[in-house]
Structures are given as C-alpha cells and as structure tokens.
C-alpha cells in the first residue's frame, strides 16, 4: 500500500475521532456572505455575491434559512452582457475540530433566472433550478465571527431559455475547480436578551 494512502487514512481517522458538535447559540441568527469582483484583462468584468444569506440555529449545530446569489458580467465598454440570479433555502450541519475549526456540510435548493447575450440580437432570458451540496471549512474567530472556505461541490443545474429554440442548459459539477472555491464570512447574532 502506498504511504500517501496510509497517511490519508491516519489523517481521516484523526479528524473523525476529534469531531464534536459545534456549539453555537440555539435560537440565534447567522448572517453570511461573500462578494466577488473580477477584471478580465480589459475585455470586461464581473461582479457578484455567491451567496448572501440568513439562517436560524434550530439547535447548537443545525442551521436552515434562505440565501441569494447573483453574477453580472460586463464587456470592455461597460455594457451588461450576462446576468444571473438564484434564490432558495439552505440547510447546514456542523462539527468542531478542536476549538478554532469546524467542518460544515451544506445543501442549497435554488430557483435560477437570468439573461444572456444582452444587447445583441441573440439575447434571451432563462429560468430553471439548481441543487447543490458542498463542504465548508470554518475558522472560528470568536465573538460569533467565522471565516469560511468552500472548496468543492456536487451540483446539478437545469435551465430553459425563452428564445425560439428553447435553449436548454444542463450543468453537472462534481469535484474541485475554480468555480467551486469560495471564501466568505459569517456572524452569529444572539436573539436572547442578556441579563
């Protein structure tokens, strides 16, 4: 057996034995999100949020709520060329690794809509749905703040356009690439009155 397999097995065993439930405050709110901006070498730019959300802690480690994401692309002249939005519920569960780290498993179920090839004769709008599950590693910063990193996903998106051809797009993602990596922050806000 290769030594990297043995090392990976030992690391996984260590992680599994050190996992404990994350203890957030039951009944508190979690606000989270990330913003992105990309300059495409003077050929255009994109700006978005992926995602921005609010959730409620039903117990000390389970959060459910709603999140929203958007992405807008502009060409070199500053004209909007593509616009995409998604909104829907999410569910997540979390486990501590020591005092400062946590692993989070999250699932999203989103309605998707947008416009493509804007300001051209081939422009059309579309809508559909997206299902996605992914792991997150969180660094617990204290006072309810956390830095979170998403590094892979398993997702399926299906959209249909309102153009004459009823253009259908189906996208399946499984694994790690540039579009599956993201960084964000979250803040837990207690709804309990302090005595």
């Amino acid at each position: 057996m290769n030594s990297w397999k043995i090392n990976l097995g030992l690391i996984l065993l260590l992680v599994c034995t050190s996992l404990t439930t994350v203890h957030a405050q039951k009944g508190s709110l979690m606000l989270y999100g990330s913003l992105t901006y990309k300059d495409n070498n003077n050929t255009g730019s994109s700006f978005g949020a992926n995602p921005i959300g609010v959730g409620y802690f039903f117990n000390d480690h389970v959060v459910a709520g709603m999140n929203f994401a958007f992405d807008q692309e502009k060409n070199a002249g500053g004209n909007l060329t593509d616009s995409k939005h998604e909104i829907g519920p999410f569910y997540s569960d979390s486990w501590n690794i020591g005092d400062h780290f946590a692993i989070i498993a999250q699932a999203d179920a989103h309605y998707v809509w947008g416009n493509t090839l804007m300001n051209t004769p081939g422009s059309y709008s579309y809508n559909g749905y997206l299902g996605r599950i992914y792991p997150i590693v969180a660094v617990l910063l204290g006072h309810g703040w956390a830095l979170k990193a998403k590094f892979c996903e398993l997702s399926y998106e299906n959209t249909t356009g309102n153009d004459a051809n009823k253009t259908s797009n189906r996208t399946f993602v499984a694994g790690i690439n540039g579009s599956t990596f993201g960084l964000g922050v979250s803040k837990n806000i207690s709804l309990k009155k302090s005595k």
Side-chain angles (χ1 to χ4, degrees), residues 62-76:
V62 172
V63 181
M66 295 288 288
N67 58 26
F68 170 75
F70 72 90
D71 186 53
Q72 296 183 331
E73 294 186 21
K74 294 183 177 181
N75 61 21

Side-chain angles (χ1 to χ4, degrees), residues 46-61:
S46 63
F47 174 71
N50 193 13
I52 296 174
V54 60
Y56 179 79
F57 279 94
F58 287 92
N59 60 34
D60 291 340
H61 56 96

Side-chain angles (χ1 to χ4, degrees), residues 157-178:
E157 182 177 353
N158 187 336
T159 60
T160 303
N162 70 350
D163 56 328
N165 296 324
K166 299 294 182 189
T167 301
S168 178
N169 287 313
R170 292 177 183 86
T171 306
F172 177 74
V173 175
I176 300 172
N177 64 33

Side-chain angles (χ1 to χ4, degrees), residues 49-194:
N50 193 13
I52 296 174
V54 60
Y56 179 79
F57 279 94
F58 287 92
N59 60 34
D60 291 340
H61 56 96
V62 172
V63 181
M66 295 288 288
N67 58 26
F68 170 75
F70 72 90
D71 186 53
Q72 296 183 331
E73 294 186 21
K74 294 183 177 181
N75 61 21
N79 299 314
L80 194 60
T81 58
D82 291 285
S83 178
K84 178 182 177 182
H85 301 83
E86 56 185 80
I87 190 168
F90 76 89
Y91 170 87
S92 69
D93 202 346
S94 54
W95 301 268
N96 270 2
I97 301 175
D99 294 332
H100 302 289
F101 298 94
I103 293 178
I104 302 167
Q106 183 158 320
D108 298 337
H110 284 180
Y111 172 71
V112 178
W113 74 99
N115 297 286
T116 190
L117 306 171
M118 297 166 74
N119 303 310
T120 69
S123 176
Y124 65 91
S125 60
Y126 60 88
N127 62 23
Y129 61 89
L130 167 67
R132 176 172 49 220
I133 57 174
Y134 51 96
I136 299 170
V137 175
V139 179
L140 309 175
L141 303 174
H143 304 289
W145 288 96
L147 178 64
K148 296 180 175 178
K150 169 191 161 195
F151 54 90
C152 65
E153 73 178 51
L154 177 64
S155 65
Y156 178 74
E157 182 177 353
N158 187 336
T159 60
T160 303
N162 70 350
D163 56 328
N165 296 324
K166 299 294 182 189
T167 301
S168 178
N169 287 313
R170 292 177 183 86
T171 306
F172 177 74
V173 175
I176 300 172
N177 64 33
S179 66
T180 64
F181 182 78
L183 292 174
V185 296
S186 70
K187 170 67 174 163
N188 297 343
I189 300 171
S190 176
L191 300 178
K192 296 176 181 177
K193 295 181 180 178
S194 57

Side-chain angles (χ1 to χ4, degrees), residues 4-43:
W4 71 269
K5 290 180 181 177
I6 294 171
N7 290 336
L8 179 61
L10 290 174
I11 291 169
L12 289 174
L13 180 64
L14 179 64
V15 167
C16 290
T17 57
S18 66
L19 289 177
T20 58
T21 302
V22 173
H23 292 290
Q25 295 177 350
K26 179 181 176 181
S28 63
L29 287 179
M30 178 184 69
L31 305 174
Y32 74 97
S34 65
L35 297 175
T36 60
Y37 175 79
K38 183 169 73 171
D39 184 358
N40 299 324
N41 294 329
N42 299 322
T43 62

